[in-house]
Amino acid sequence: MTLSEELVWRGLIKDKTFTDVEWLDTPQKFYLGIDPSADSLTVGNLAIITLCLRLARAGWGTFLVIGGGTSLVGDPGGKTEERQLMSRETIVSNTSKIDGQVSSLFRDEKFILVDNYDWLADLKYLEFLRDVGKYFSMTELMQRDFVTERMGAGGSGISYAEFSYSLVQGYDFWHLFKENDVVMQIGGSDQWGNLLSGTSLIRKNEKKEAQAMSMPLIINKTTGQKFGKSESGAVWLDPTKTTPTAFYQFWINSSDDGVEDYLKIYTFLTKEEIDELMSRHNSDPKARLAQKTLASEVTKLVHGDGLAKLAEAVTNYLTTEKDIAEATNEELDTIRKEISSIKFSPNTNLINILVSTGLAKSNSEAKSLIDGGAIYVKGQSYKSQDLNEDNFVNGRLLIRRGKAFRDSALIEL
């Protein structure tokens, strides 16, 4: 399968300036801009990063541009209100952390990481107006989605700084085209207008053609919301913000109607491997084989084999697929970080434990949960208020409220 055929099959191409996708099959140089507006990337960012990895593996020269300069202005795309300006110190700190994440993801590939602050910081305003601003029609700019949404009825308005963002991004592409022979920019479909700014500027200033390609935004088919959110908020690549176990469990919870798409977008399994996997999954959906494979593959990509295996093991204990009595000390340490854990006292009943671990807000709620069969001990509904040492194996016991395996607590002697 050629690169272009693979990208089409995986559903990774939405908009493009070139006519035939086969143009992608001749490796050249491309770039992706990365916004350091936070101190970590999310699984939403990871989608476009995996597209970069596919291009890199197909021989494309890869430039990753951290927006240390453009972040001083703020990208208005996808925002209904003006961004709060960040200090240069915050941007530098964020950039350093994202540099580390990107370098880890591209650990087996060749790439060049640059910061657009290096060429934007000394850019003279009059020079910018003559070389860039002169070539952009106000009519065209006013029709950009991010402008019409902010300027329309009920819109919050847009500052000149954010209005100009698209021109600055166009300058980035022009700079990379001149200095490094970069001929294509990629991004999410919500960036399409900004991507076109660069191709237009290069055509007018250099009398040459450059290309742009966007990929579709990833949508959670169950909720209809932009992909990458969990009940606790964004799912981060930084293990201190989203633990590898919580990261793994995010993918485990993928819906059946979305899991095949996620396998295509986020993993490097081949078409044959995914087809076979989905056939096995569809024959027994309750086993969640596709979700488990997805979780394992993506967690390995982001956090490495060791933490992926640890996250899988911890999840198996929480879902009672494995007996908590078998957990190693390392696994127990991880479990204690993921869920509540307390020491068992002989004069403590189950009601006290549920309240102490936060599985119930009050004694009355705890009693109601027990009576209603909503409390599980060793994976089985448990309707007694009494616990004793006979319930423990290897000095530990796992208690769960309801079906959600994260609503669990570890009890130890």
Side-chain angles (χ1 to χ4, degrees):
M1 185 182 294
T2 65
L3 173 65
S4 60
E5 290 171 337
E6 180 178 2
L7 297 187
V8 170
W9 170 71
R10 292 184 185 272
L12 297 180
I13 302 176
K14 185 179 187 298
D15 302 301
K16 56 185 175 58
T17 55
F18 44 91
T19 304
D20 298 320
V21 293
E22 289 81 6
W23 179 82
L24 292 165
D25 295 331
T26 301
Q28 299 181 70
K29 295 179 182 179
F30 80 98
Y31 93 93
L32 170 72
I34 300 174
D35 180 12
S37 56
D39 60 1
S40 172
L41 300 174
T42 70
V43 296
N45 304 125
L46 184 60
I48 194 74
I49 293 290
T50 59
L51 174 55
C52 289
L53 285 168
R54 295 181 208 285
L55 290 166
R57 293 180 182 185
W60 277 77
T62 304
F63 285 74
L64 302 175
V65 180
I66 303 293
T70 41
S71 288
L72 289 168
V73 177
D75 182 359
K79 302 296 180 182
T80 59
E81 295 182 352
E82 190 84 5
R83 284 178 183 256
Q84 292 293 318
L85 291 178
M86 295 188 297
S87 68
R88 176 65 183 152
E89 291 74 21
T90 298
I91 293 171
V92 169
S93 176
N94 290 353
T95 296
S96 175
K97 293 176 182 178
I98 290 174
D99 282 357
Q101 291 179 0
V102 169
S103 297
S104 175
L105 290 166
F106 279 81
R107 53 189 173 269
D108 297 322
E109 308 301 330
K110 292 182 179 179
F111 72 102
I112 296 175
L113 185 66
V114 293
D115 185 339
N116 64 12
Y117 183 83
D118 293 341
W119 59 80
L120 292 178
D122 296 327
L123 186 63
K124 294 180 173 60
Y125 185 62
L126 291 178
E127 177 185 316
F128 180 79
L129 289 179
R130 288 178 63 86
D131 294 342
V132 179
K134 185 68 175 176
Y135 293 107
F136 284 87
S137 162
M138 284 296 296
T139 302
E140 176 191 355
L141 291 173
M142 290 297 293
Q143 292 172 347
R144 296 280 172 88
D145 288 343
F146 70 85
V147 176
T148 57
E149 290 170 3
R150 296 267 285 272
M151 297 293 288
S156 62
I158 185 169
S159 70
Y160 176 74
E162 288 198 356
F163 180 79
S164 304
Y165 180 91
S166 185
L167 278 65
V168 181
Q169 186 168 325
Y171 185 91
D172 282 348
F173 196 175
W174 182 32
H175 173 86
L176 292 166
F177 181 89
K178 290 187 299 179
E179 300 297 324
N180 304 102
D181 299 319
V182 172
V183 299
M184 180 173 70
Q185 181 184 7
I186 67 171
S189 59
D190 58 344
Q191 288 286 313
W192 184 239
N194 291 335
L195 270 59
L196 291 178
S197 292
T199 61
S200 174
L201 187 59
I202 291 167
R203 184 171 60 252
K204 293 171 181 176
N205 268 332
E206 301 295 326
K207 305 300 186 288
K208 296 179 180 178
E209 292 297 318
Q211 309 298 340
M213 181 177 76
S214 75
M215 69 173 290
L217 294 181
I218 314 303
I219 302 298
N220 186 319
K221 291 183 177 180
T222 301
T223 65
Q225 301 297 311
K226 191 174 178 180
F227 189 69
K229 301 288 185 180
S230 70
E231 290 182 2
S232 57
V235 179
W236 304 94
L237 306 195
D238 184 341
T240 66
K241 296 168 77 73
T242 299
T243 67
T245 299
F247 186 86
Y248 178 93
Q249 290 169 1
F250 170 79
W251 299 102
I252 280 283
N253 288 326
S254 298
S255 63
D256 283 338
D257 63 354
V259 68
E260 183 173 3
D261 287 344
Y262 304 151
L263 284 163
K264 292 178 179 179
I265 295 165
Y266 286 99
T267 80
F268 293 86
L269 299 177
T270 65
K271 182 179 187 302
E272 292 73 23
E273 289 170 328
I274 291 176
D275 287 346
E276 180 186 358
L277 175 62
M278 290 309 302
S279 176
R280 294 169 60 196
H281 171 84
N282 291 330
S283 67
D284 184 15
K286 291 184 178 179
R288 301 183 71 75
L289 179 61
Q291 284 88 346
K292 291 177 180 178
T293 304
L294 173 67
S296 176
E297 291 293 320
V298 184
T299 308
K300 282 193 293 185
L301 173 66
V302 174
H303 295 296
D305 288 353
L307 289 177
K309 290 177 181 176
L310 181 59
E312 179 180 2
V314 169
T315 300
N316 286 338
Y317 292 124
L318 296 181
T319 57
T320 68
E321 289 187 33
K322 292 180 67 174
D323 192 332
I324 192 67
E326 303 173 10
T328 65
N329 288 333
E330 181 184 19
E331 291 166 344
L332 286 171
D333 285 341
T334 302
I335 290 171
R336 293 185 192 105
K337 296 174 184 176
E338 297 293 331
I339 62 174
S340 296
S341 64
I342 61 171
K343 290 290 186 179
F344 177 76
S345 173
N347 60 355
T348 303
N349 61 26
L350 185 54
I351 288 178
N352 300 139
I353 290 173
L354 293 176
V355 174
S356 297
T357 57
L359 294 180
K361 296 178 181 178
S362 64
N363 288 350
S364 59
E365 182 186 20
K367 185 176 185 305
S368 177
L369 289 170
I370 295 169
D371 293 342
I375 299 302
Y376 293 79
V377 174
K378 297 180 181 178
Q380 302 295 318
S381 182
Y382 193 87
K383 293 188 177 183
S384 171
Q385 296 182 18
D386 297 320
L387 279 180
N388 56 60
E389 294 187 10
D390 293 337
N391 295 110
F392 293 75
V393 179
N394 279 355
R396 63 194 73 139
L397 181 67
L398 197 66
I399 294 174
R400 190 177 77 238
R401 183 192 68 201
K403 299 294 185 180
F405 50 80
R406 290 194 66 78
D407 291 333
S408 302
L410 176 66
I411 319 302
E412 300 177 273
L413 292 178

